[in-house]
Short mmCIF file of all heavy atoms in Angstrom, two decimals:
data_model
loop_
_atom_site.label_atom_id
_atom_site.label_comp_id
_atom_site.label_asym_id
_atom_site.label_seq_id
_atom_site.Cartn_x
_atom_site.Cartn_y
_atom_site.Cartn_z
N LEU A 38 59.02 -27.64 25.99
CA LEU A 38 59.25 -28.73 26.95
C LEU A 38 58.35 -28.56 28.17
O LEU A 38 57.77 -29.53 28.65
CB LEU A 38 60.72 -28.79 27.36
CG LEU A 38 61.68 -29.33 26.31
CD1 LEU A 38 63.13 -29.14 26.75
CD2 LEU A 38 61.40 -30.80 26.02
N ALA A 39 58.21 -27.32 28.63
CA ALA A 39 57.34 -27.06 29.78
C ALA A 39 55.89 -27.39 29.44
O ALA A 39 55.18 -28.02 30.24
CB ALA A 39 57.48 -25.61 30.22
N VAL A 40 55.44 -27.00 28.25
CA VAL A 40 54.07 -27.28 27.81
C VAL A 40 53.83 -28.79 27.72
O VAL A 40 52.74 -29.27 28.04
CB VAL A 40 53.77 -26.58 26.46
CG1 VAL A 40 52.48 -27.07 25.84
CG2 VAL A 40 53.75 -25.07 26.65
N GLN A 41 54.86 -29.52 27.31
CA GLN A 41 54.74 -30.98 27.18
C GLN A 41 54.86 -31.70 28.53
O GLN A 41 54.79 -32.92 28.59
CB GLN A 41 55.83 -31.50 26.23
CG GLN A 41 55.67 -31.02 24.81
CD GLN A 41 56.92 -31.27 23.97
OE1 GLN A 41 57.86 -31.94 24.40
NE2 GLN A 41 56.93 -30.72 22.77
N GLY A 42 55.04 -30.94 29.61
CA GLY A 42 55.08 -31.54 30.93
C GLY A 42 56.47 -31.89 31.45
O GLY A 42 56.59 -32.57 32.48
N HIS A 43 57.49 -31.45 30.76
CA HIS A 43 58.86 -31.71 31.23
C HIS A 43 59.26 -30.60 32.20
O HIS A 43 59.71 -29.54 31.81
CB HIS A 43 59.84 -31.77 30.06
CG HIS A 43 59.56 -32.87 29.10
ND1 HIS A 43 59.79 -34.19 29.41
CD2 HIS A 43 59.04 -32.86 27.85
CE1 HIS A 43 59.44 -34.94 28.38
NE2 HIS A 43 58.98 -34.15 27.43
N SER A 44 59.08 -30.87 33.48
CA SER A 44 59.35 -29.85 34.49
C SER A 44 60.79 -29.88 34.99
O SER A 44 61.21 -28.99 35.71
CB SER A 44 58.39 -30.01 35.66
OG SER A 44 58.54 -31.29 36.24
N HIS A 45 61.52 -30.91 34.63
CA HIS A 45 62.91 -31.06 35.07
C HIS A 45 63.80 -31.27 33.85
O HIS A 45 63.64 -32.25 33.13
CB HIS A 45 63.03 -32.24 36.04
CG HIS A 45 64.41 -32.42 36.58
ND1 HIS A 45 64.76 -33.56 37.26
CD2 HIS A 45 65.52 -31.63 36.58
CE1 HIS A 45 66.03 -33.47 37.63
NE2 HIS A 45 66.50 -32.31 37.23
N ILE A 46 64.70 -30.35 33.63
CA ILE A 46 65.63 -30.43 32.49
C ILE A 46 67.04 -30.56 33.03
O ILE A 46 67.44 -29.85 33.96
CB ILE A 46 65.51 -29.19 31.59
CG1 ILE A 46 64.10 -29.08 31.03
CG2 ILE A 46 66.54 -29.23 30.46
CD1 ILE A 46 63.80 -27.77 30.36
N GLU A 47 67.79 -31.48 32.45
CA GLU A 47 69.20 -31.64 32.80
C GLU A 47 70.04 -31.35 31.56
O GLU A 47 69.89 -32.01 30.53
CB GLU A 47 69.49 -33.06 33.30
CG GLU A 47 68.90 -33.33 34.66
CD GLU A 47 69.20 -34.74 35.17
OE1 GLU A 47 68.98 -35.71 34.42
OE2 GLU A 47 69.64 -34.84 36.32
N PHE A 48 70.89 -30.34 31.67
CA PHE A 48 71.89 -30.06 30.64
C PHE A 48 73.18 -30.74 31.05
O PHE A 48 73.53 -30.74 32.24
CB PHE A 48 72.13 -28.55 30.52
CG PHE A 48 71.02 -27.79 29.86
CD1 PHE A 48 70.07 -27.14 30.62
CD2 PHE A 48 70.94 -27.69 28.47
CE1 PHE A 48 69.04 -26.42 30.03
CE2 PHE A 48 69.92 -26.97 27.87
CZ PHE A 48 68.97 -26.34 28.65
N VAL A 49 73.89 -31.31 30.07
CA VAL A 49 75.11 -32.05 30.37
C VAL A 49 76.27 -31.49 29.57
O VAL A 49 76.18 -31.34 28.35
CB VAL A 49 74.95 -33.55 30.02
CG1 VAL A 49 76.14 -34.34 30.50
CG2 VAL A 49 73.67 -34.11 30.60
N ILE A 50 77.35 -31.16 30.29
CA ILE A 50 78.57 -30.66 29.66
C ILE A 50 79.69 -31.62 30.03
O ILE A 50 79.97 -31.84 31.21
CB ILE A 50 78.93 -29.24 30.17
CG1 ILE A 50 77.78 -28.27 29.95
CG2 ILE A 50 80.21 -28.75 29.51
CD1 ILE A 50 77.98 -26.92 30.64
N GLY A 51 80.32 -32.20 29.02
CA GLY A 51 81.38 -33.17 29.26
C GLY A 51 82.72 -32.52 29.54
O GLY A 51 82.82 -31.30 29.74
N ASP A 52 83.74 -33.35 29.57
CA ASP A 52 85.09 -32.85 29.81
C ASP A 52 85.67 -32.26 28.52
O ASP A 52 84.95 -32.05 27.54
CB ASP A 52 85.97 -33.95 30.39
CG ASP A 52 86.17 -35.14 29.45
OD1 ASP A 52 85.91 -35.02 28.23
OD2 ASP A 52 86.60 -36.20 29.94
N ALA A 53 86.96 -32.02 28.52
CA ALA A 53 87.62 -31.39 27.37
C ALA A 53 87.48 -32.21 26.09
O ALA A 53 87.63 -31.67 24.99
CB ALA A 53 89.09 -31.15 27.69
N HIS A 54 87.17 -33.49 26.22
CA HIS A 54 87.02 -34.36 25.04
C HIS A 54 85.56 -34.56 24.64
O HIS A 54 85.26 -35.34 23.75
CB HIS A 54 87.68 -35.71 25.30
CG HIS A 54 89.13 -35.59 25.67
ND1 HIS A 54 90.11 -35.22 24.77
CD2 HIS A 54 89.75 -35.72 26.85
CE1 HIS A 54 91.27 -35.16 25.38
NE2 HIS A 54 91.08 -35.46 26.65
N GLY A 55 84.66 -33.86 25.32
CA GLY A 55 83.25 -34.00 25.00
C GLY A 55 82.61 -35.15 25.76
O GLY A 55 83.11 -35.58 26.80
N LEU A 56 81.51 -35.65 25.24
CA LEU A 56 80.75 -36.73 25.87
C LEU A 56 80.84 -37.99 25.01
O LEU A 56 80.79 -37.92 23.79
CB LEU A 56 79.28 -36.33 26.03
CG LEU A 56 79.02 -35.18 26.99
CD1 LEU A 56 77.61 -34.62 26.79
CD2 LEU A 56 79.22 -35.62 28.42
N GLU A 57 80.97 -39.13 25.67
CA GLU A 57 81.03 -40.40 24.96
C GLU A 57 79.67 -40.72 24.34
O GLU A 57 78.63 -40.23 24.80
CB GLU A 57 81.46 -41.54 25.90
CG GLU A 57 82.90 -41.45 26.34
CD GLU A 57 83.08 -40.67 27.64
OE1 GLU A 57 82.06 -40.19 28.19
OE2 GLU A 57 84.22 -40.51 28.09
N ASP A 58 79.69 -41.59 23.34
CA ASP A 58 78.46 -41.94 22.62
C ASP A 58 77.37 -42.48 23.53
O ASP A 58 76.20 -42.14 23.36
CB ASP A 58 78.75 -42.97 21.52
CG ASP A 58 79.42 -42.34 20.30
OD1 ASP A 58 79.32 -41.10 20.13
OD2 ASP A 58 80.04 -43.08 19.52
N HIS A 59 77.72 -43.32 24.50
CA HIS A 59 76.68 -43.90 25.36
C HIS A 59 75.99 -42.83 26.22
O HIS A 59 74.81 -42.96 26.53
CB HIS A 59 77.23 -45.04 26.22
CG HIS A 59 78.21 -44.63 27.27
ND1 HIS A 59 79.52 -44.32 27.00
CD2 HIS A 59 78.05 -44.45 28.61
CE1 HIS A 59 80.14 -43.99 28.12
NE2 HIS A 59 79.28 -44.05 29.11
N ILE A 60 76.70 -41.76 26.55
CA ILE A 60 76.07 -40.66 27.29
C ILE A 60 75.18 -39.85 26.34
O ILE A 60 74.05 -39.50 26.67
CB ILE A 60 77.12 -39.77 27.96
CG1 ILE A 60 77.91 -40.58 28.99
CG2 ILE A 60 76.47 -38.55 28.60
CD1 ILE A 60 79.12 -39.87 29.55
N LEU A 61 75.69 -39.57 25.14
CA LEU A 61 74.89 -38.84 24.15
C LEU A 61 73.61 -39.59 23.82
O LEU A 61 72.54 -38.99 23.68
CB LEU A 61 75.71 -38.60 22.88
CG LEU A 61 76.89 -37.63 23.01
CD1 LEU A 61 77.74 -37.65 21.74
CD2 LEU A 61 76.40 -36.22 23.32
N GLN A 62 73.69 -40.91 23.73
CA GLN A 62 72.51 -41.71 23.41
C GLN A 62 71.49 -41.72 24.54
O GLN A 62 70.30 -41.93 24.31
CB GLN A 62 72.93 -43.14 23.05
CG GLN A 62 73.66 -43.20 21.72
CD GLN A 62 74.29 -44.55 21.44
OE1 GLN A 62 74.11 -45.51 22.20
NE2 GLN A 62 75.04 -44.64 20.36
N ALA A 63 71.94 -41.50 25.76
CA ALA A 63 71.03 -41.45 26.91
C ALA A 63 70.28 -40.11 26.99
O ALA A 63 69.33 -39.99 27.75
CB ALA A 63 71.81 -41.68 28.21
N CYS A 64 70.72 -39.16 26.20
CA CYS A 64 70.09 -37.84 26.21
C CYS A 64 68.95 -37.78 25.19
O CYS A 64 68.97 -38.48 24.18
CB CYS A 64 71.12 -36.75 25.91
SG CYS A 64 72.35 -36.59 27.21
N HIS A 65 67.99 -36.92 25.46
CA HIS A 65 66.84 -36.74 24.57
C HIS A 65 67.12 -35.75 23.45
O HIS A 65 66.42 -35.72 22.45
CB HIS A 65 65.63 -36.26 25.36
CG HIS A 65 65.25 -37.21 26.45
ND1 HIS A 65 65.58 -36.98 27.77
CD2 HIS A 65 64.59 -38.38 26.42
CE1 HIS A 65 65.13 -37.98 28.51
NE2 HIS A 65 64.52 -38.85 27.72
N GLY A 66 68.12 -34.92 23.63
CA GLY A 66 68.46 -33.92 22.63
C GLY A 66 69.91 -33.48 22.79
O GLY A 66 70.55 -33.74 23.82
N ARG A 67 70.40 -32.84 21.74
CA ARG A 67 71.76 -32.31 21.74
C ARG A 67 71.72 -30.93 21.12
O ARG A 67 71.08 -30.73 20.09
CB ARG A 67 72.69 -33.17 20.89
CG ARG A 67 72.80 -34.59 21.31
CD ARG A 67 73.70 -35.34 20.35
NE ARG A 67 73.51 -36.78 20.50
CZ ARG A 67 74.14 -37.69 19.80
NH1 ARG A 67 75.00 -37.32 18.89
NH2 ARG A 67 73.91 -38.96 20.00
N ILE A 68 72.40 -29.99 21.76
CA ILE A 68 72.51 -28.66 21.18
C ILE A 68 73.97 -28.26 21.12
O ILE A 68 74.80 -28.72 21.89
CB ILE A 68 71.70 -27.60 21.97
CG1 ILE A 68 72.19 -27.46 23.40
CG2 ILE A 68 70.21 -27.90 21.92
CD1 ILE A 68 71.64 -26.25 24.13
N SER A 69 74.26 -27.39 20.17
CA SER A 69 75.58 -26.81 20.03
C SER A 69 75.46 -25.32 20.34
O SER A 69 74.59 -24.64 19.80
CB SER A 69 76.09 -27.01 18.59
OG SER A 69 77.28 -26.29 18.40
N LEU A 70 76.32 -24.84 21.21
CA LEU A 70 76.30 -23.42 21.53
C LEU A 70 76.89 -22.58 20.41
O LEU A 70 76.55 -21.41 20.27
CB LEU A 70 77.08 -23.15 22.82
CG LEU A 70 76.50 -23.76 24.09
CD1 LEU A 70 77.43 -23.50 25.28
CD2 LEU A 70 75.11 -23.21 24.37
#
């Protein structure tokens, strides 16, 4: 990501029920810990 010029990364952690679909769709990627 740094090589591609992405100097600002935002990780998003939802509430106890996770993140709604519209928030997930606004993200560029999803990871599972």
Side-chain angles (χ1 to χ4, degrees):
L38 287 171
V40 168
Q41 295 167 8
H43 298 288
S44 59
H45 182 192
I46 299 169
E47 289 180 311
F48 287 97
V49 187
I50 304 171
D52 63 17
H54 303 289
L56 295 164
E57 290 91 0
D58 284 340
H59 68 283
I60 297 171
L61 292 171
Q62 291 170 5
C64 293
H65 302 101
R67 301 177 197 180
I68 62 168
S69 172
L70 295 176

